[in-house]
């Protein structure tokens, strides 16, 4: 127990709260830099302040260390900046689950060898007296790399974002049919606008910051009062999806772009349509207005941009150069240049007066979906389906840096009025705030370069094998977390992997429609198994290693002789993709999971279907069989796990707690504990006797796989970013005693 915690424990609740609220400020005012540093590196203070005041109040305490009168050494200031950065990055997690403080700090700060930080982390480890997942090595995005903060709250893809003129508010538009207003300084959700009946595709904020216009798949636009969150009126006129909207500088008119091949200019005071602009031969995907409001530029699926006179509605000129649909456009503050983004993966800079192409910006590896120009016109930020944003020097056309952190397509971006920060929107259901001036790139990952879809553990627990969307498998030393070997040979994503008890070989399943058997000591490929007519998405191997069973998007399972590579049996019965397969410890029974929302139990020797397990209401993504073969656990896209009696086929219990699809599940050797991985970005630990969630660890993105080592406490998991996580389940002895 620290001295601070000891002193705090002697105070009344009222004085305790007062001390937590005022002590950091008092130390800063009294220029007691050393004591302030001690306080802000004390885990007990951080935990107490988080519990009593909340995460934003805690973050603001570290700003006090930046006051010029507070004398701190460079090292002290650096350590406090790192701690604040870690807390800010985890703010969206700590707001909903304060018990994850120690795990989040460890995951983000373990790599920093500063004594003050290592002491803080050790104090955090010692403070835990409950079940929790402890990262064994840094496994989360570190402070000062990637985004400053993540905003969560939408329940589906975020399509667009805009910033208020003062930069203090942001508004996002989502596939979940809502808009959300955010406080960009605290990251908190201010309110949700809910009157749309279909996907909200675009949003724009008026110059006064008080009015917002949103565009929807319902063919309409809506005008909102941002202060009250009420809908002012609906603009009706388009006959197809409205893709984009821009508001004139005077705030009196707006222009919209639609799949109906037209643009429309609207009077915002009356809500009436002023005129329709026609000329594009395909859907209109984007629109931008010049600073004087007299000119608009539209982007279209016909591969062109068009410049319009907004006062007359006449087309001024057409810009030709892209080789695919033009998806985004922005006009520079001086109105003389425009920048477009396209599905041809490039951006182009145009002279708006002559219509000539000035330069082409290349670097993205997929469609460019959005573009924003900084207020000074010197830099541009683009968003792409390649999951990144790029910052460009608009004068030279050179790429300055790439912003990495989103785990799905990035579809929107806006730059703050001061040009120092930007906010992005993504199909990963989040928004991220970025420091546009930082030149710190993400560390080079020693893991996979694409999502990790599966992980398997050798019987001795000393090695693990991961399978990835980067077409490779990697063998890891589980004790050190060091990569031992990379296995290459598949021509597409590797989606599953299994290791027999002897551990000398492994078998992988791939989207290239094949399975491969590998020598795990040398990394050489021994056999390729062909027979499936579509992606192979699941594989399991019998305890003796002589037989393997695979599942595929061709809806069938196949049983293979692993020594000869010969196909022995084909099992049919599922009506959609087979997503997972597990073999009972005796090797006689197989359970498969499918996109048809069911599991099926099979006789492995004859290939006959024994029974079907129904109860899930969405795809069943994962299945694991208990040590004695009498029970199984499944994980589903319906956000639940179910425990089944394999002999009778009856459902014993449903485990709830995840808020998104469950992708993986594993059972500890003692049969009392399970771990699950989900697209809600969490790993959860379950007490199987009570059916209760006992611990959770939140990552930076979706967890696609997980496994428990034979020691029953070490966990390996893989996520959508390509990271392989090594964690330890602490407090598990207490859990088994309580059970």
């Amino acid at each position: 127990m620290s001295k601070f915690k000891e002193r705090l424990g002697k105070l009344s609740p009222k004085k305790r709260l007062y001390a937590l609220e005022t002590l950091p400020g008092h130390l800063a005012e009294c220029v007691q830099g050393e004591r302030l540093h001690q306080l802000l590196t004390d885990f007990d203070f951080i935990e107490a302040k988080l519990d009593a005041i909340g995460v934003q109040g805690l973050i603001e305490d570290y700003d006090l260390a930046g006051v010029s009168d507070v004398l701190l050494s460079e090292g002290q200031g650096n350590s406090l900046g790192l701690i604040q950065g870690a807390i800010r990055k985890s703010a969206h997690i700590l707001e909903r689950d304060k018990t994850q403080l120690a795990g989040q700090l460890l995951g983000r700060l373990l790599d920093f060898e500063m004594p003050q930080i290592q002491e803080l982390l050790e104090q955090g480890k010692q403070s835990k007296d409950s079940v929790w997942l402890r990262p064994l090595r840094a496994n989360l995005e570190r402070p000062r790399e990637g985004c400053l903060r993540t905003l969560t709250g939408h329940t589906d893809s975020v399509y667009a974002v805009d910033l208020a003129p003062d930069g203090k508010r942001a508004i996002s538009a989502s596939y979940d049919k809502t808009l959300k207003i955010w406080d960009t300084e605290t990251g908190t959700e201010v309110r949700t606008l809910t009157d749309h009946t279909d996907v909200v595709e675009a949003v724009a904020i008026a110059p006064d910051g008080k009015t917002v216009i949103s565009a929807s798949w319902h063919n309409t636009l809506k005008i909102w009062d941002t202060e009250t969150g009420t809908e002012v009126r609906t603009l009706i006129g388009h006959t197809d999806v409205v893709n984009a909207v821009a508001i004139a500088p005077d705030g009196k008119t707006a222009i919209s772009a639609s799949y109906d091949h037209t643009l429309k200019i609207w009077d915002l005071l009356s809500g009436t349509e002023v005129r329709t602009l026609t000329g594009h031969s395909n859907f209109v995907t984007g629109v931008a207005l010049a600073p004087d409001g007299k000119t608009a530029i539209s982007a279209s699926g016909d591969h062109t941009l068009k410049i319009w006179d907004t006062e007359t509605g006449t087309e001024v000129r057409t810009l030709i150069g892209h080789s695919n649909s033009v998806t985004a456009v922005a006009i520079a503050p001086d109105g003389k240049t425009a920048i477009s983004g396209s599905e041809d993966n490039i951006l182009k800079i145009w002279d708006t007066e002559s219509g000539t192409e000035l330069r082409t910006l290349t670097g993205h590896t997929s469609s460019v979906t959005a573009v924003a120009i900084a207020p000074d016109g010197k830099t541009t930020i683009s968003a792409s389906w390649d999951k990144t944003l790029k910052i460009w020097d608009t004068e030279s056309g050179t790429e300055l840096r790439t912003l990495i952190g989103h785990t799905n397509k990035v579809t929107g971006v806006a730059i703050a009025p001061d040009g120092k920060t930007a906010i992005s929107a993504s199909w990963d259901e989040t928004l991220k705030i970025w420091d546009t001036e930082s030149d710190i790139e993400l560390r080079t990952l020693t893991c996979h370069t694409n999502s990790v879809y599966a992980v398997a553990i050798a019987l001795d627990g000393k090695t693990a094998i991961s399978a990835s969307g980067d077409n490779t498998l990697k063998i890891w030393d589980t004790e050190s977390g060091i990569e031992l070997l990379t296995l290459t040979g598949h021509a597409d994503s590797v989606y599953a992997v299994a290791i027999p008890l002897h551990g000398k070989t492994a078998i992988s399943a791939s989207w290239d429609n094949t399975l491969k058997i590998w020598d795990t000591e040398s990394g050489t490929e021994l056999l390729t198994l062909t027979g499936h007519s579509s992606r192979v998405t699941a594989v399991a191997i019998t305890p003796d290693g002589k037989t393997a069973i695979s599942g595929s998007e061709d809806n069938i399972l196949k049983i293979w002789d692993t020594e000869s590579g010969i196909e022995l049996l084909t099992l049919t019965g599922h009506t959609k993709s087979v997503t997972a397969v597990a073999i009972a410890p005796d090797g006689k029974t197989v359970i498969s999971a499918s996109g048809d929302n069911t599991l099926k139990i099979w006789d492995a020797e004859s290939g006959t279907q024994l029974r079907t397990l129904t109860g899930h209401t969405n795809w069943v993504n994962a299945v694991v069989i208990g040590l004695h073969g009498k029970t199984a656990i499944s994980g589903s896209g319906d956000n639940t796990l179910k425990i089944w009696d394999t002999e009778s086929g009856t459902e014993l219990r449903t485990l709830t707690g995840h808020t998104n699809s469950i992708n993986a599940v594993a059972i500890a050797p003692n049969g009392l504990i399970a771990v699950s991985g989900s697209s809600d970005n969490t790993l959860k630990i379950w007490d199987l006797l009570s059916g209760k969630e006992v611990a959770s660890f939140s990552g930076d993105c979706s967890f696609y796989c997980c496994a428990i080592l034979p020691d029953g406490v070490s966990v390996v998991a893989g996520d959508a970013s390509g990271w392989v996580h090594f964690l330890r389940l602490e407090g598990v002895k207490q859990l088994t005693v309580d059970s």
Side-chain angles (χ1 to χ4, degrees):
M1 180 187 295
S2 69
K3 291 181 180 179
F4 174 81
K5 189 172 184 178
E6 187 176 344
R7 290 196 295 268
L8 203 63
K10 296 177 181 179
L11 299 177
S12 67
K14 187 175 181 180
K15 289 183 177 180
R16 171 189 168 95
L17 182 62
Y18 179 77
L20 291 169
E21 286 178 333
T22 62
L23 183 56
H26 172 73
L27 294 176
E29 288 175 5
C30 296
V31 200
Q32 297 190 45
E34 187 64 37
R35 286 188 61 194
L36 180 63
H37 179 263
Q38 289 176 358
L39 185 70
L40 296 181
T41 55
D42 187 311
F43 182 85
D44 290 330
F45 166 77
I46 295 170
E47 185 177 48
K49 179 99 181 198
L50 177 65
D51 286 341
I53 309 298
V55 68
Q56 186 58 30
L58 178 60
I59 290 169
E60 291 171 359
D61 282 345
Y62 290 85
D63 291 333
L64 298 170
V67 177
S68 58
D69 292 336
V70 177
L71 300 178
L72 292 174
S73 69
E74 184 178 349
Q76 288 175 325
N78 193 27
S79 63
L80 293 185
L82 290 170
I83 296 167
Q84 181 190 43
I87 295 169
R88 183 187 287 115
K89 277 183 177 292
S90 296
H92 60 293
I93 296 165
L94 298 175
E95 281 170 353
R96 66 173 184 265
D97 186 0
K98 295 179 174 65
T99 66
Q100 289 199 49
L101 176 63
Q104 290 295 304
L105 292 178
L106 283 160
R108 300 194 190 279
L109 296 173
L110 260 175
D111 277 350
F112 297 97
E113 297 180 357
M114 302 172 189
Q116 308 100 314
I117 287 182
Q118 291 302 315
E119 288 171 14
L120 167 70
L121 299 181
E122 184 59 34
Q123 192 183 358
K125 285 192 289 184
Q126 298 300 325
S127 73
K128 299 289 290 187
D129 57 2
S130 59
V131 181
W132 66 297
L133 279 167
R134 173 170 67 89
L136 297 177
R137 64 172 187 165
N139 63 341
L140 300 174
E141 197 174 84
R142 301 180 299 182
R144 297 180 183 168
E145 65 178 21
C147 71
L148 296 172
R149 174 175 251 144
T150 299
L151 312 184
T152 61
H154 281 294
T155 58
D156 215 319
S157 302
V158 190
Y159 276 177
V161 63
D162 198 12
L163 279 164
D166 62 7
K168 294 180 180 180
R169 290 284 191 272
I171 302 188
S172 54
S174 171
Y175 194 90
D176 66 12
K177 305 177 186 178
T178 73
L179 298 110
K180 288 184 182 289
I181 302 176
W182 308 86
D183 183 313
T184 57
E185 293 181 354
T186 65
T188 55
E189 180 185 323
V190 178
R191 63 177 52 90
T192 299
L193 314 182
T194 59
D195 285 350
H196 276 294
T197 57
D198 210 331
V199 173
V200 191
E201 176 85 10
V203 63
I205 303 177
D208 63 5
K210 297 178 180 180
T211 305
V212 166
I213 303 182
S214 55
S216 167
W217 284 14
H218 194 246
N219 308 352
T220 64
L221 299 104
K222 288 183 182 291
I223 302 176
W224 308 82
D225 182 312
T226 59
E227 295 182 352
T228 63
T230 55
E231 178 189 334
V232 178
R233 62 180 53 88
T234 298
L235 309 182
I236 301 171
H238 282 295
T239 58
D240 208 332
V241 170
V242 188
N243 295 310
V245 62
I247 301 176
D250 62 8
K252 295 179 180 179
T253 58
I255 185 168
S256 56
S258 170
Y259 264 36
D260 64 13
H261 302 190
T262 73
L263 298 107
K264 290 182 182 291
I265 299 176
W266 307 86
D267 181 304
L268 297 185
L269 186 61
S270 64
T272 57
E273 178 186 325
V274 178
R275 62 181 55 89
T276 297
L277 314 184
T278 60
H280 282 295
S281 59
N282 207 326
F283 45 81
V284 191
T285 54
V287 65
L289 279 163
D292 62 7
K294 296 178 180 180
T295 304
I297 303 181
S298 56
S300 171
D302 64 14
H303 304 188
T304 73
L305 298 108
K306 289 183 182 291
I307 300 178
W308 308 84
D309 181 314
T310 57
E311 294 181 346
T312 63
T314 56
E315 179 186 325
V316 178
R317 63 180 54 89
T318 298
L319 311 183
I320 300 172
H322 283 292
S323 60
N324 208 328
S325 296
V326 190
T327 49
V329 63
I331 301 176
D334 63 7
K336 295 179 180 179
T337 56
I339 303 181
S340 57
S342 167
E343 289 185 5
D344 60 16
N345 305 354
I346 64 176
L347 298 104
K348 288 183 180 289
I349 302 178
W350 308 85
D351 182 305
T352 57
E353 294 180 358
S354 65
T356 57
E357 178 186 326
L358 301 177
R359 60 184 57 90
T360 296
L361 315 184
T362 60
H364 282 295
T365 58
S366 190
S367 300
V368 182
T369 55
V371 61
I373 302 174
D376 62 8
K378 294 179 180 179
T379 56
T380 295
I381 304 181
S382 56
S384 171
W385 278 10
D386 65 13
K387 306 178 188 178
T388 73
L389 299 109
K390 289 184 182 290
I391 303 179
W392 309 84
D393 181 306
T394 52
E395 292 181 2
S396 65
T398 56
E399 179 186 326
L400 300 176
R401 63 187 64 92
T402 298
L403 308 181
I404 300 172
H406 282 295
T407 58
N408 208 327
K409 298 172 181 177
V410 190
T411 48
V413 63
I415 301 175
D418 62 8
K420 295 179 179 179
T421 57
I423 185 167
S424 57
S426 170
W427 283 17
D428 65 12
E429 302 178 14
T430 74
L431 298 108
K432 289 183 183 289
I433 299 175
W434 308 84
D435 179 343
T436 60
E437 297 180 335
S438 172
D439 58 1
I440 299 175
E441 296 280 351
L442 282 173
R443 65 195 136 159
T444 301
L445 297 182
T446 56
C447 296
H448 289 283
T449 58
N450 206 325
S451 300
V452 181
Y453 291 122
V455 64
I457 308 294
L459 181 62
D460 61 9
K462 294 181 180 180
T463 56
I465 303 182
S466 55
S468 169
D470 64 11
N471 303 359
T472 73
L473 299 106
K474 289 181 183 290
I475 302 178
W476 306 85
D477 181 303
T478 57
E479 192 170 316
S480 65
I482 294 173
E483 178 189 328
L484 302 175
L485 281 172
T486 297
L487 313 183
T488 59
H490 280 296
D492 207 334
S493 298
V494 191
Y495 214 72
V497 63
I499 306 173
L501 293 180
H502 57 65
K504 295 178 181 179
T505 58
I507 185 166
S508 56
S510 170
W511 283 8
D512 64 12
N513 300 4
T514 72
L515 298 107
K516 289 183 183 290
I517 299 176
W518 309 84
D519 182 308
T520 55
E521 293 182 359
S522 66
T524 55
E525 179 186 326
L526 302 175
L527 280 173
T528 297
L529 313 184
T530 59
H532 283 292
S533 60
S534 190
R535 294 171 173 176
V536 191
T537 49
V539 66
I541 198 162
T542 53
D544 62 11
K546 294 180 179 179
T547 308
I549 302 181
S550 58
S552 166
E553 289 186 2
D554 60 16
N555 304 354
I556 63 175
L557 297 104
K558 288 182 181 290
I559 300 179
W560 308 84
D561 181 304
T562 57
E563 293 182 357
S564 65
I566 295 172
E567 178 186 326
L568 302 175
L569 285 171
T570 295
L571 315 184
T572 60
H574 283 296
T575 58
K576 284 188 179 179
S577 301
V578 181
T579 54
V581 62
I583 300 176
D586 62 8
K588 296 179 180 180
T589 306
V590 173
I591 304 182
S592 56
S594 171
D596 64 13
N597 302 0
T598 73
L599 299 107
K600 289 183 182 291
I601 302 178
W602 311 81
D603 182 297
E605 294 181 356
S606 65
T608 56
Q609 180 181 321
L610 302 176
R611 58 185 59 88
T612 298
L613 312 183
T614 59
H616 283 297
T617 58
N618 206 323
W619 282 52
V620 190
N621 300 316
V623 63
V624 63
I625 300 175
L627 181 63
H628 303 295
K630 295 181 179 179
T631 57
I633 304 178
S634 56
S636 169
D638 65 13
N639 306 353
T640 72
L641 298 114
K642 289 183 182 291
I643 303 176
W644 307 87
D645 181 308
T646 58
E647 294 181 355
S648 65
T650 56
E651 178 186 325
L652 301 176
R653 173 176 279 134
T654 297
L655 312 183
T656 59
H658 281 295
T659 58
N660 208 325
S661 177
I662 298 170
N663 305 313
V665 61
I667 300 176
N670 65 9
L672 299 175
I673 299 162
V675 60
S676 56
S678 169
S679 291
D680 65 11
N681 299 1
T682 70
L683 294 166
K684 291 186 182 295
I685 303 297
W686 305 88
D687 179 337
L688 296 181
L689 293 180
S690 66
K692 294 180 179 177
E693 174 192 333
V694 293
S696 185
F697 176 82
S698 294
D700 289 325
C701 54
S702 299
F703 284 102
Y704 286 152
C705 56
C706 58
I708 302 176
L709 270 62
D711 63 11
V713 293
S714 298
V715 174
V716 181
D719 71 22
S721 73
W723 196 260
V724 178
H725 300 252
F726 296 87
L727 308 104
R728 182 177 176 85
L729 182 56
E730 302 286 6
V732 68
K733 290 183 179 178
Q734 181 63 40
L735 176 61
T736 54
V737 168
D738 292 344
S739 298

